[in-house]
Amino acid sequence: MQTLSPSSPESRSPAAVAQPAAAARTVAIDLGDRSYPIRIGTGLLGDAATYAGLPRATAALIVTNTTVGPLYAGRLRAALAPHHRDVHVVELPDGEAYKDWATLNRIFDALLGHGCDRRTVLYALGGGVVGDMTGFAAASYMRGVPFVQVPTTLLAQVDSSVGGKTAINHPLGKNMVGAFYQPHLVVCDLGTIATLPPREVSAGLAEIVKYGPIADMAFMGWLEENMEALRAGDPAALAHAVHRSCEIKAAVVGQDEREAGLRAILNFGHTFGHAIESGLGYGAWLHGEGVGAGMVMAATLSQRLGLVDAAFVDRLTALVARAGLPTAGPRIDAGDNAGRYLRLMRLDKKSEAGDIRFVLIDGPGRAVVRGAPDALVREVVEACCARAPVAA
Ligand code: NAD
Ligand code: GLY
């Protein structure tokens, strides 16, 4: 690829993260007239200055969920008050299972119910589920209104809030209905990670770990040295991990906004991972958990194709385990398990005429997108699922 520059959080209260704004760092997404900044720092969410310079609009709608709203919507609403005369809030039910048409429609109900016009700014306050749905709503309400991502999970700060992919799920496939639609601003307030449950921190680490094998082995080495600090919520470690992840993603998206080629490498682990998510039913495994096991499966397939050696697969597997993530895929069918994986993976958006395209590692720090024989994929699925119990 081209230039890529080199305690239990559950017990913490949101008051613990009501810190003054610290000096923020900015990563630029360079997309011509759709360019925007990612601001990364602590205390940004509740600082009115964070939102200066956005399109002027009378109304704003904060889209959040029943978990994140009570923690952070009041603070965001107060910060937006100087910028918009009317700041409305809609709280969606929480969970991947609600990333669907019916829940999306609740955003349109709120917009129309409040008489919101085509200048209204949408603010996505939450994790990737809220962010993906709010982005899709912004892309389609009155044929497009501005929106801002305020990601509050680690996963959303390092991946889903950046790059303009928006979508909802379909019962037959993950993220199957959506649009490319860029936000005007991304606000990564690192303080919000303090209230994130440990399982969700681990899920976010999956999307951080992926950047090493596909683009930056020095970063993978740094992650090996700092994994415990990240899981403990160390502010300096989190700041570096979020910043470097956003830099890598910005470089990829800046070269291939609509995934004509290069951008697909950001889906390392996702072809297997999406099959796990839809195979088990949305929400059974977290997205990041599917990606964790999926990266091990994709790396194992890379090895079987002779692209990397076993030592590389072992190294990645160890890092995935230290992130607190599963390293074996679940059995998603009591009968032909590998066949079910194959059927689900054929629905992947990268598939061409029914041929699955995998993101594989063809050398440390380098990814390639290519097919693989079904028989070999079957072997890899069975080898990687061997230790997992049959799904209920
Ligand atoms: P999520 O949005 O479901 O959030 C995880 C959980 O954490 C939820 O229960 C949420 O309410 C809670 N939460 C969020 N912030 C919190 C906080 N600060 N404190 C306490 N609880 C908090 O899951 P996610 O992992 O953020 O995102 C996963 C979704 O992102 C999937 O749907 C996936 O497909 C999507 N995704 C999209 C892209 C993209 O490019 N658009 C990339 C990666 C993933
Ligand atoms: N999360 C993959 C992408 O944004 O392309």
Side-chain angles (χ1 to χ4, degrees):
M1 69 181 299
Q2 297 174 36
T3 13
L4 293 178
S5 54
S7 68
S8 170
E10 269 171 318
S11 63
R12 295 179 213 163
S13 74
V17 296
Q19 303 152 21
R25 300 174 76 187
T26 300
V27 175
I29 298 279
D30 192 359
L31 292 171
D33 61 1
R34 294 177 313 291
S35 298
Y36 54 94
I38 306 164
R39 302 199 63 211
I40 303 165
T42 301
L44 295 174
L45 184 156
D47 183 355
T50 300
Y51 310 97
L54 287 168
R56 291 170 64 82
T58 305
L61 178 69
I62 299 172
V63 182
T64 186
N65 70 22
T66 49
T67 303
V68 180
L71 294 172
Y72 298 110
R75 207 174 305 163
L76 178 58
R77 191 176 202 160
L80 296 180
H83 302 293
H84 306 281
R85 192 192 67 195
D86 306 321
V87 182
H88 310 289
V89 180
V90 60
E91 277 188 6
L92 307 177
D94 184 3
E96 184 76 36
Y98 295 101
K99 192 174 157 181
D100 61 5
W101 275 117
T103 311
L104 178 72
N105 215 28
R106 291 177 60 166
I107 304 177
F108 299 128
D109 290 345
L111 285 163
L112 291 164
H114 290 299
C116 292
D117 62 23
R118 60 172 19 153
R119 298 168 76 102
T120 303
V121 182
L122 268 58
Y123 292 81
L125 175 68
V129 170
V130 164
D132 281 11
M133 284 200 293
T134 307
F136 191 26
S140 29
Y141 185 66
M142 295 196 177
R143 303 200 178 93
V145 293
F147 89 111
V148 173
Q149 290 272 15
V150 188
T152 61
T153 63
L154 188 56
L155 184 142
Q157 293 188 355
V158 300
D159 194 354
S160 64
S161 66
V162 174
K165 279 189 180 177
T166 75
I168 56 170
N169 298 327
H170 186 279
L172 292 179
K174 178 87 180 142
N175 294 333
M176 282 296 162
V177 183
F180 283 100
Y181 194 68
Q182 301 295 341
H184 275 66
L185 169 71
V186 179
V187 179
C188 297
D189 189 331
L190 301 169
T192 61
I193 305 305
T195 54
L196 200 59
R199 186 178 170 198
E200 298 291 349
V201 172
S202 289
L205 287 168
E207 300 282 19
I208 294 176
V209 166
K210 84 174 175 198
Y211 290 116
I214 63 168
D216 184 353
M217 289 304 287
F219 185 49
M220 183 157 168
W222 181 89
L223 288 170
E224 287 169 330
E225 285 171 20
N226 290 277
M227 189 50 79
E228 280 66 40
L230 286 168
R231 290 185 71 182
D234 177 78
L238 282 175
H240 178 70
V242 173
H243 187 258
R244 183 63 191 136
S245 299
C246 288
E247 276 185 335
I248 295 171
K249 182 149 187 184
V252 172
V253 171
Q255 293 171 65
D256 180 20
E257 180 185 6
R258 290 186 166 241
E259 202 168 303
L262 176 68
R263 184 167 177 168
I265 69 170
L266 298 173
N267 273 315
F268 175 50
H270 287 58
T271 311
F272 290 102
H274 285 170
I276 292 170
E277 281 188 86
S278 52
L280 290 179
Y282 298 119
W285 274 34
L286 301 180
H287 175 73
E289 292 170 341
V291 171
M295 286 191 290
V296 175
M297 296 168 96
T300 305
L301 182 57
S302 309
Q303 184 209 343
R304 299 281 177 102
L305 286 164
L307 303 175
V308 288
D309 59 20
F312 178 82
V313 180
D314 290 346
R315 185 176 168 192
L316 177 61
T317 306
L319 188 59
V320 169
R322 285 180 58 212
L325 294 163
T327 56
R331 297 192 71 80
I332 57 174
D333 193 294
D336 183 11
N337 179 55
R340 179 108 193 275
Y341 269 90
L342 280 165
R343 280 197 301 283
L344 288 170
M345 291 193 293
R346 280 191 218 295
L347 291 172
D348 187 87
K349 290 187 287 307
K350 291 185 296 304
S351 291
E352 288 174 11
D355 289 337
I356 307 167
R357 314 269 299 154
F358 295 94
V359 181
L360 302 174
I361 304 301
D362 72 343
R366 222 175 43 229
V368 64
V369 182
R370 54 167 280 188
D374 278 5
L376 188 62
V377 177
R378 279 182 170 276
E379 274 177 40
V380 167
V381 169
E382 287 315 318
C384 291
C385 294
R387 284 172 288 130
V390 176

